[in-house]
Amino acid sequence: MNILVVLRMIPDSAGELQLAEDGRGIDREWLDFQLNDFDDHALEEAILLKEASGAKVTVVAVGEGANRVLQMAAARGADEVVALQSEEDAMISSREIAASIAAMARAKSVDLVLCGVQSTEDVFGQLAPYVGALLDWPHVSGTNRIVANGAVLRVTQERGAGVAVTYELATPAVLGVQTASKAPRYVSGSKLREASKTPIGRATPELSGFELTAEIITLRLPVQGGSGENLGGNAETVADRLVTILAAKGLARN
Amino acid sequence: MKLIACTEGHSGKIEAFSLEMIAAARSLTQADDEVVAFFAGRDAEGASACLGAADRLIVARSTRSDVIPAETYALLLRDVIIAESPGLVLVPYSANGLDVAADIAARTGWPLISYVNEIKRLGENLTIVAQMYGGKILAECEVRLPAVLMINPGAFAAAAPAPIAPVNVQTIDAEPVLTSGKVKMVAIDMPDYADVDLTTADRIVCVGRGIGDEASIDLARNLATMLGAEIAGSRPVVDNGWLPKLRQVGKSGQKVKPKLYLALGVSGAPEHLEGMSQADLIIAVNTDPKAPIFNVAHYGATCDLFDLVANLSDRLRAGSGR
Ligand SMILES: Cc1cc2nc3c(=O)[nH]c(=O)nc-3n(C[C@H](O)[C@H](O)[C@H](O)COP(=O)(O)OP(=O)(O)OC[C@H]3O[C@@H](n4cnc5c(N)ncnc54)[C@H](O)[C@@H]3O)c2cc1C
């Protein structure tokens, strides 16, 4: 089985985000770029499938810092790594990259495309269903378990409220991974050093075939605070206040 | 113009956000516009009994399968789009909607905007406010119809449930598309609430990734015990295996409405808020003053959660000894 994994580098949004001067993006100058969490799980699931059934894993990465993450993927067991050229300082929209991924899947006779279920930078839709629809391959997102038996996949999807649904589908297919069957593995420094010699292929993007598209006019920060009361940053004072508040509402004691 | 509101339900229950999709569509109608609800699944009667806020209902009825795979749902919906030529299709941000929205957008070539919170219409143009970066940034977008939108649950107040007149219900047979579909449902696992049912819990202490490691969960668990609360976690905490899945709150976890929800080190991503923003009293502790959890909290504190847990535990312990 040939597996293609898509890794997207996105700004670390745990810290503070500043708006760019033109208001259409975020200021990327001082931001750390990191691998989209869900894509990390997609990579892990691919390597687990390789270990279980001997697949070939090709990893394509897009965005700032792609080379670094491709070396990490090689250290984790990817057979081939490719950087998809992207515009610097631009958001990575699924709608834009779907055609490139679909073309690569065709060119490399891929049986299974894996990517993360979503990326926080992606307001124009999800990658897996775009690629699935463009290739007319079956697709399922939100997966937390993938088992391959030859060309037949058993895929478990979370539906919310503790409900899980298992589907069967045949390859070729596209899956949007929510959680890998096991947590993404740690790679040692020595393995990373060894993998740094892995040659990184280059791919040029395909033009998106979509003529109609939406546009981001401006970005803004949400109005902060809601209507809640700020108790401050001193743990002792906060604890005192909370005890009073809970007592007043009859919630302080078991 | 016709506006299609996608609805969902399975196992005898119509999802509450279905009525929100109809309300969202209704809020955009002009003169002769028509809101058409689309439902695919087995519970055609359930849909007819509650989706009456729509002008019409199209049910793609299956006799066997309780859950319609998203791809089949999308193919059925595409046939309806071809037949009805709507100007707008609204899809909920759900496990199903995640797959349906982009699939439909790709197959029709129409634009798609996801994580939508607000929509304004000016003739054939929409201005939209959508969430990015886990709710930390809002994007104002513009799109020309026809278009597909994926709407956040909770963004629109639900329409009132009401039966729809049988003459306004059109039923199509989903079986041929289901049978030829490439994705087959083989099993559906329902939760076993024997251990804990957070949906009925009165008080919840929820830990997020800010708790740091598995061992630290015990500190929060002790505090929960003192408060007579259940312990719960955000998704990363559960994904790390620190708490069982049934203790996850949010979109893919449980939707809770306790009297007290104490969130420790939870950022408040939209998928988390979806599960808890209806709680009566929300207290959030997070060192980042810009964390979106503060947008729904009634009381917020920006201290270190470990300091707070220690201090609060001391006071509650002292109080109970009195
Ligand atoms: C389809 C789908 C479904 C999802 N379903 C769910 C779901 O059901 N439930 C859910 O929770 N998420 C869900 N998510 C994930 C969601 O998008 C977020 O990734 C998740 O909620 C983040 O969890 P968190 O807030 O614990 O972690 P983070 O976002 O990492 O936030 C940790 C927070 O802790 C704070 N912090 C760190 N240290 C301290 C300290 N010492 N004291 C105080 N504060 C501290 C930080 O400032 C930060 O705000 C889903 C995502 C998808 C795509």
Side-chain angles (χ1 to χ4, degrees):
Chain A
M1 179 155 62
N2 274 335
I3 305 179
L4 178 67
V5 184
V6 187
L7 303 182
R8 291 160 289 182
M9 300 301 290
I10 57 168
D12 177 2
S13 55
E16 193 167 341
L17 298 176
Q18 309 263 4
L19 301 180
E21 257 170 35
D22 68 358
R24 288 184 171 225
I26 53 171
D27 185 350
R28 296 173 172 250
E29 179 130 14
W30 302 108
L31 279 178
D32 275 342
F33 281 73
Q34 60 183 26
L35 176 58
N36 180 30
D37 254 354
F38 300 113
D39 296 358
D40 195 12
H41 281 264
L43 172 63
E44 190 59 35
E45 199 74 296
I47 303 296
L48 290 171
L49 285 169
K50 172 180 170 171
E51 287 168 351
S53 55
K56 177 186 176 202
V57 176
T58 304
V59 176
V60 55
V62 48
E64 196 165 326
N67 287 358
R68 180 170 44 87
V69 96
L70 286 172
Q71 285 166 355
M72 178 276 293
R76 271 162 66 173
D79 300 288
E80 189 185 337
V81 295
V82 182
L84 178 69
Q85 245 87 318
S86 60
E87 240 177 88
E88 256 178 53
D89 280 358
M91 292 183 193
I92 301 167
S93 143
S94 292
R95 203 170 167 87
E96 286 300 316
I97 64 168
S100 303
I101 305 302
M104 205 180 279
R106 272 202 208 94
K108 293 191 174 289
S109 306
V110 159
D111 304 290
L112 180 60
V113 179
L114 295 180
C115 60
V117 61
Q118 67 160 214
S119 132
T120 56
E121 198 166 52
D122 208 356
V123 86
F124 299 127
Q126 269 55 48
L127 186 57
Y130 270 128
V131 174
L134 290 180
L135 292 167
D136 205 17
W137 292 359
H139 59 85
V140 175
S141 289
T143 72
N144 60 8
R145 208 169 119 83
I146 302 169
V147 179
N149 188 351
V152 178
L153 303 173
R154 270 205 174 209
V155 173
T156 307
Q157 176 191 53
E158 296 182 4
R159 302 283 296 203
V163 178
V165 176
T166 304
Y167 303 102
E168 209 168 78
L169 56 152
T171 58
V174 186
L175 300 175
V177 176
Q178 176 97 48
T179 315
S181 310
K182 279 192 197 151
R185 68 195 64 193
Y186 169 79
V187 277
S188 66
S190 61
K191 263 200 168 160
L192 269 174
R193 271 191 297 281
E194 205 179 300
S196 67
K197 295 179 207 117
T198 313
I200 294 177
R202 306 267 152 224
T204 41
E206 292 282 314
L207 270 188
S208 157
F210 296 114
E211 283 166 19
L212 308 171
T213 190
E215 219 188 326
I216 294 181
I217 303 301
T218 169
L219 297 187
R220 60 179 156 93
L221 302 173
V223 180
Q224 268 293 312
S227 55
E229 188 180 331
N230 184 354
L231 301 176
N234 180 309
E236 291 176 15
T237 340
V238 173
D240 286 337
R241 285 292 315 278
L242 284 184
V243 169
T244 315
I245 293 163
L246 293 176
K249 296 190 186 280
L251 293 164
R253 220 172 284 172
N254 192 340
Chain B
M1 182 176 96
K2 292 177 191 170
L3 300 93
I4 295 189
C6 292
T7 68
E8 286 180 33
H10 68 83
S11 312
K13 188 172 151 271
I14 304 296
E15 295 287 353
F17 54 62
S18 301
L19 287 162
E20 298 173 17
M21 296 307 116
I22 296 176
R26 180 68 68 203
S27 75
L28 299 170
T29 51
Q30 299 176 347
D32 298 322
D33 289 352
E34 197 187 15
V35 174
V36 182
F38 174 71
F39 179 87
R42 191 154 64 174
D43 194 9
E45 289 73 26
S48 304
C50 88
L51 302 179
D55 297 307
R56 283 196 291 132
L57 169 65
I58 299 177
V59 177
R61 184 174 197 167
S62 132
T63 43
R64 295 172 294 137
S65 189
D66 207 16
V67 169
I68 306 284
E71 196 172 63
T72 306
Y73 185 107
L75 287 173
L76 292 161
L77 175 59
R78 188 194 51 181
D79 290 346
V80 170
I81 291 173
I82 291 170
E84 300 279 338
S85 324
L88 188 62
V89 177
L90 303 182
V91 179
Y93 173 23
S94 62
N96 183 62
L98 265 176
D99 273 340
V100 168
D103 181 306
I104 279 292
R107 288 181 201 275
T108 53
W110 294 359
L112 161 65
I113 300 182
S114 304
Y115 316 114
V116 172
N117 273 356
E118 293 168 38
I119 318 168
K120 280 203 190 77
R121 176 172 171 199
L122 221 133
E124 299 295 286
N125 290 300
L126 300 180
T127 51
I128 284 156
V129 178
Q131 276 176 325
M132 302 182 83
Y133 303 109
K136 285 197 148 184
I137 300 271
L138 296 177
E140 285 184 24
C141 307
E142 228 169 59
V143 64
R144 218 184 137 67
L145 301 179
V148 183
L149 305 181
M150 188 169 81
I151 317 277
N152 286 334
F156 288 83
I164 188 159
V167 294
N168 293 326
V169 181
Q170 177 194 346
T171 305
I172 47 184
D173 183 6
E175 288 305 325
V177 181
L178 254 177
T179 312
S180 62
K182 293 178 188 159
V183 180
K184 306 270 183 230
M185 187 191 102
V186 291
I188 173 164
D189 292 313
M190 303 300 279
D192 171 8
Y193 289 116
D195 169 35
V196 59
D197 181 359
L198 290 183
T199 63
T200 60
D202 235 17
R203 305 169 193 194
I204 292 175
V205 172
C206 178
V207 292
R209 184 146 44 186
I211 196 77
D213 56 35
E214 185 169 13
S216 304
I217 305 253
D218 279 342
L219 300 170
R221 197 180 274 116
N222 291 342
L223 175 64
T225 308
M226 281 184 235
L227 286 167
E230 290 289 350
I231 182 93
S234 69
R235 166 149 212 138
V237 167
V238 171
D239 277 354
N240 280 332
W242 302 342
L243 283 174
K245 186 78 188 169
L246 272 180
R247 291 192 181 264
Q248 181 180 320
V249 170
K251 178 179 220 64
S252 42
Q254 304 297 319
K255 311 248 183 312
V256 301
K257 201 180 172 306
K259 292 201 178 101
L260 169 67
Y261 193 84
L262 177 58
L264 303 171
V266 177
S267 62
E271 294 85 5
H272 188 81
L273 301 188
E274 191 181 325
M276 48 64 73
S277 56
Q278 298 302 313
D280 292 347
L281 176 64
I282 299 170
I283 300 171
V285 183
N286 193 311
T287 42
D288 175 7
K290 296 215 162 128
I293 189 81
F294 292 126
N295 293 331
V296 299
H298 302 100
Y299 294 96
T302 49
C303 53
D304 182 277
L305 78 88
F306 295 100
D307 290 345
L308 193 270
V309 170
N311 275 284
L312 193 54
S313 301
D314 282 351
R315 283 160 181 70
L316 293 170
R317 210 174 289 121
S320 66
R322 232 177 265 155

